[in-house]
Amino acid sequence: MKKPEKVMKPILSEKIPSGREWLYEVKYDGFRCLLHWKKDDIQLISRNGISFTDQFPEIISFCEDKTDEISDLLPLSLDGELVILNTELQANFSMLQKRSRMRSKKSIEQISRDRPAHFLAFDLLDTKKAIYQHRKKNLVKVFQSLNLPREISMESPLGYVQSSDNYETLFRKLDEHMGEGIVAKNKHSHYREGKRPDWLKIKNWRTLTGILTSFHPSNDYFGIAVYDDGNLLSIGKCKHGLDDKDRDTLRKFVREQGEKQGQTYLLPPAICMDIHCLGIHDKELREPSFAAFRLDQEVEACTRDKLNWQLSMPPEINYTNLDKLLYPESGVTKQLLIGYLREVYPYMKPFLDNRILTVIRFPDGVKGEAFYQKHLPEYAPDFIKATKEKTQLIDSVEALAWFGNQAAIEYHVPFQQSNSKYPSEIVFDLDPPDDNSFDMAVNAATQLHAIFNNLGLHHFVKTSGGKGLQVYLPLPENTLSYEETAKFTEIIAETLVQYDPDSFTTERLKKNRHGRLYVDHIQHAPGKTIIAPYSPRGREQASVATPIYWAELPEISDPSIFTIHNTLDRLHEKGCPFRTFHEVKNKQPMNVFDRFIK
């Protein structure tokens, strides 16, 4: 271990400072690091002096490949955050911790491909004497020399953390992604070692309610639990946040009610308290801080279901009948559905924004009657947006939660944005004859994968949430018309059928398919819709239309394994297979399509 790096650190604050002298950045949940970049040596060193150079080779090799482009500017020292991103505003701290402990070179190389890390730069130490806003301008020049975007790119291991003069807008975006927080920086501040009031960090707390179960007088830690099937489930411990009055109240209760065992007091489940935290990782609260005693709260109400609801940070709207079972066989209540929608919103958002929405509502659950809804009902709240024709849009997490509260389970979107007549993507819908023929969809998708690889086209695949698969080709906005994409999709579909006419067909009538998979290319047309990525489906298994990686496709035999219960865990572990979808669309080789449509 080297000597600790001399970095400037923000001070935790409950209030966001305002005024023209302040600028604001996203605070990522990662490791604070410096990237020391020389012509013949690149080092990634934590603020504690720990070298991560060997553990994160994707960042080092990326910089090595870029060294010639900025050789005139070297050496450089970039200050930033080492992260593994779930989304451009949400980092995965627990996965980063596991990655940092890895020592096997082979394992590190594999995970660097499967779940790459990012170094997100927010300052340039080579201009320490300059004020913050000037250092930021110098950092921009570095990224310009590197021909890299001045933003976070899921494709690039090296990212630039933008500053904003509007903390309300920034915090709202951050909150939608369930990010860690923001840092307020005085634009005239100089870079000085240690904690400085010119930098203030404001956390985006999750607030949960738990039961006080133990107290450790030697270090002031107290244990927190919730009920899970009638038994107390420990969710971690907390120490910080108590003022003198609250600490005295706690100690008095411990003396009167606690049972001492060794150095610990065990307490009966009688007192509830609110805790601020950044989530729960490895069965421990992340950065917990006491918020308030909840003497109004019955301990029986502190359950695991309520905990999960609170951790999902549901927006504040009027919810009703949260305990209604929507999926009786899968045990999914309306509360669980809304919690899922809220957490998956950052991943759905790029495919919902500015698109007319058709939902399928199941007011009595998936075993009851269902109906389509395209136009916004008159009783919808003002924060739900609509077009001039009163067709409904989703442009906020509040809107998605409201639809979930209306028992809207399925979310279908058109192929174009609401203000455009041009498709934003091409989608091939691969529909096998029955639920037991998913292998036919895998076969068809594999053939399309080979075709599009040969053509050099960026393409993605997801389950339909039903029995089939859907293959996507992103398009730059306002490039190909539906007439042009129809020519392309028809030729590709017919190519697939010619390859294996016994397995594939473009016959629309089911009675004429004779057990073959239907390659639906006609569905890609104006007015048609497709199930949105990560939308639940109204099927008993609580299945989800789930993006998958091409490498894992051969191993999937049943698409119903992806459900409301496990999709979020999958996202955190594997990342989103569609994470680069909207970046590569502008890199699509459009000249390839000319060969099919002209």
Side-chain angles (χ1 to χ4, degrees):
M1 182 185 295
K2 297 183 179 181
K3 292 183 179 179
E5 297 281 0
K6 297 179 179 180
V7 298
M8 188 167 174
K9 305 172 186 177
I11 295 174
L12 183 64
S13 174
E14 293 299 319
K15 295 182 179 180
I16 303 175
S18 60
R20 296 177 63 183
E21 69 274 20
W22 291 96
L23 293 171
Y24 311 92
E25 297 175 354
V26 173
K27 172 71 175 73
Y28 287 91
D29 199 1
F31 294 157
R32 180 75 175 279
C33 285
L34 295 184
L35 181 64
H36 298 300
W37 194 340
K38 300 177 182 179
K39 290 183 180 181
D40 56 353
D41 184 43
I42 301 172
Q43 296 286 325
L44 189 59
I45 308 296
S46 79
R47 72 177 189 184
N48 297 322
I50 300 172
S51 175
F52 288 129
T53 305
D54 293 335
Q55 277 86 355
F56 297 89
E58 66 271 39
I59 296 172
I60 303 303
S61 61
F62 179 83
C63 293
E64 288 173 343
D65 291 341
K66 289 282 187 179
T67 293
D68 288 344
E69 296 181 31
I70 58 165
S71 59
D72 293 343
L73 299 179
L74 299 179
L76 290 172
S77 288
L78 306 180
D79 191 359
E81 202 80 12
L82 177 62
V83 299
I84 292 177
L85 292 174
N86 292 331
T87 74
E88 62 267 27
L89 295 178
Q90 183 194 106
N92 191 323
F93 185 78
S94 61
M95 179 156 284
L96 184 71
Q97 278 188 317
K98 293 176 183 176
R99 173 79 181 275
S100 69
R101 300 187 189 111
M102 296 177 71
R103 294 296 179 266
S104 166
K105 186 176 181 180
K106 183 177 179 180
S107 298
I108 290 171
E109 288 177 350
Q110 181 64 48
I111 199 170
S112 69
R113 292 189 294 268
D114 295 342
R115 199 71 163 90
H118 294 71
F119 178 78
L120 307 182
F122 53 69
D123 216 321
L124 185 62
L125 270 60
D126 303 271
T127 55
K128 273 187 178 182
K129 294 182 179 180
I131 60 175
Y132 164 72
Q133 62 179 351
H134 291 165
R135 298 198 307 274
K136 207 71 173 176
K137 290 179 181 178
N138 290 327
L139 184 59
V140 166
K141 292 178 182 178
V142 172
F143 274 77
Q144 287 174 334
S145 298
L146 290 166
N147 294 310
L148 293 176
R150 268 72 72 195
E151 58 188 13
I152 306 304
S153 165
M154 299 299 284
E155 274 201 302
S156 171
L158 190 60
Y160 171 81
V161 180
Q162 293 180 330
S163 59
S164 170
D165 59 3
N166 188 322
Y167 70 83
E168 292 179 339
T169 300
L170 182 63
F171 206 94
R172 178 171 179 77
K173 289 180 180 178
L174 175 93
D175 185 61
E176 285 184 341
H177 285 251
M178 301 178 68
E180 183 192 354
I182 65 173
V183 179
K185 297 182 178 180
N186 190 305
K187 65 172 65 173
H188 302 295
S189 61
H190 292 275
Y191 196 102
R192 295 177 295 169
E193 178 186 354
K195 292 185 177 182
R196 301 292 177 177
D198 290 328
W199 286 12
L200 301 174
K201 59 182 177 181
I202 300 91
K203 299 285 188 176
N204 185 26
W205 297 118
R206 295 99 169 111
T207 302
L208 57 87
T209 307
I211 304 166
L212 179 65
T213 58
S214 62
F215 184 70
H216 308 261
S218 61
N219 53 24
D220 280 348
Y221 276 108
F222 51 90
I224 302 293
V226 295
Y227 277 113
D228 182 24
D229 289 333
N231 299 312
L232 284 174
L233 172 70
S234 174
I235 59 173
K237 54 186 179 294
C238 182
K239 176 179 181 179
H240 302 291
L242 286 162
D243 60 24
D244 291 340
K245 181 180 178 181
D246 290 331
R247 197 177 303 279
D248 289 343
T249 299
L250 179 58
R251 287 184 177 277
K252 180 180 178 182
F253 176 75
V254 169
R255 287 195 299 269
E256 294 176 354
Q257 303 293 331
E259 177 185 343
K260 192 172 184 181
Q261 291 189 5
Q263 299 299 314
T264 302
Y265 284 89
L266 300 182
L267 303 168
I271 291 184
C272 301
M273 55 176 61
D274 282 348
I275 302 292
H276 291 324
C277 68
L278 294 177
I280 297 178
H281 301 295
D282 296 328
K283 300 180 181 180
E284 284 290 334
L285 295 166
R286 177 112 170 83
E287 297 192 24
S289 178
F290 171 84
F293 287 112
R294 291 294 306 273
L295 302 180
D296 61 322
Q297 182 75 64
E298 298 290 335
V299 292
E300 291 79 11
C302 295
T303 65
R304 188 170 187 171
D305 286 345
K306 182 178 180 180
L307 172 70
N308 291 335
W309 172 254
Q310 291 174 323
L311 289 173
S312 73
M313 302 176 70
E316 294 183 4
I317 65 172
N318 293 322
Y319 297 105
T320 57
N321 301 323
L322 289 176
D323 59 348
K324 176 183 283 189
L325 265 178
L326 297 181
Y327 295 84
E329 292 185 13
S330 302
V332 177
T333 62
K334 188 197 289 189
Q335 177 172 293
L336 200 156
L337 169 70
I338 297 171
Y340 166 80
L341 291 173
R342 192 276 172 266
E343 290 198 62
V344 86
Y345 175 71
Y347 305 93
M348 290 184 72
K349 176 179 168 62
F351 300 92
L352 298 177
D353 280 350
N354 200 26
R355 302 213 191 190
I356 293 171
L357 177 72
T358 299
V359 299
I360 304 181
R361 290 173 56 182
F362 295 77
D364 297 312
V366 296
K367 287 191 172 182
E369 294 292 328
F371 63 91
Y372 286 82
Q373 177 180 299
K374 184 175 180 179
H375 290 83
L376 194 64
E378 292 184 0
Y379 56 80
D382 292 340
F383 60 80
I384 309 292
K385 299 294 189 275
T387 66
K388 293 180 180 179
E389 294 78 23
K390 300 299 182 181
T391 51
Q392 57 206 11
L393 303 167
I394 286 183
D395 70 343
S396 68
V397 67
E398 289 84 3
L400 185 59
W402 183 83
F403 279 105
N405 191 55
Q406 301 297 307
I409 288 178
E410 297 195 6
Y411 297 81
H412 298 255
V413 292
F415 301 99
Q416 82 278 359
Q417 297 188 3
S418 61
N419 58 352
S420 175
K421 296 181 179 179
Y422 292 84
S424 297
E425 65 263 334
I426 293 172
V427 182
F428 290 86
D429 193 8
L430 308 176
D431 185 18
D434 54 60
D435 287 347
N436 298 317
S437 301
F438 183 68
D439 59 318
M440 298 179 70
V442 172
N443 184 18
T446 301
Q447 301 308 320
L448 288 177
H449 184 42
I451 291 171
F452 296 145
N453 272 341
N454 186 54
L455 293 173
L457 293 171
H458 299 284
H459 55 289
F460 301 78
V461 62
K462 85 175 201 291
T463 69
S464 65
K467 58 185 178 180
L469 290 166
Q470 292 153 351
V471 177
Y472 282 65
L473 289 88
L475 298 173
E477 295 299 331
N478 303 317
T479 51
L480 297 182
S481 67
Y482 276 107
E483 290 76 16
E484 291 170 324
T485 58
K487 295 178 183 178
F488 175 81
T489 56
E490 182 177 9
I491 293 172
I492 296 297
E494 291 298 339
T495 300
L496 205 59
V497 172
Q498 290 173 18
Y499 168 76
D500 189 351
D502 293 332
S503 299
F504 310 134
T505 181
T506 56
E507 174 59 57
R508 298 200 71 188
L509 295 178
K510 288 186 178 181
K511 66 179 183 178
N512 295 332
R513 296 179 190 170
H514 306 300
R516 293 173 294 177
L517 176 139
Y518 176 44
V519 185
D520 188 352
H521 64 92
I522 300 177
Q523 177 69 12
H524 188 270
K528 302 293 186 178
T529 62
I530 195 81
I531 190 73
Y534 297 111
S535 170
R537 299 305 301 261
R539 297 166 69 93
E540 276 298 336
Q541 307 96 324
S543 57
V544 168
T546 306
I548 56 180
Y549 294 100
W550 285 107
E552 63 182 334
L553 180 60
E555 307 300 323
I556 299 172
S557 59
D558 181 2
S560 66
I561 61 173
F562 305 117
T563 71
I564 288 174
H565 293 294
N566 60 28
T567 296
L568 292 169
D569 288 340
R570 169 183 162 82
L571 275 168
H572 292 157
E573 178 186 353
K574 293 180 175 291
C576 176
F578 277 28
R579 61 179 176 264
T580 62
F581 188 98
H582 289 86
E583 291 184 40
V584 302
K585 67 189 306 179
N586 292 317
K587 299 177 181 179
Q588 200 72 280
M590 299 305 293
N591 60 309
V592 171
F593 293 99
D594 294 340
R595 292 150 52 182
F596 295 85
I597 63 181
K598 291 185 178 179

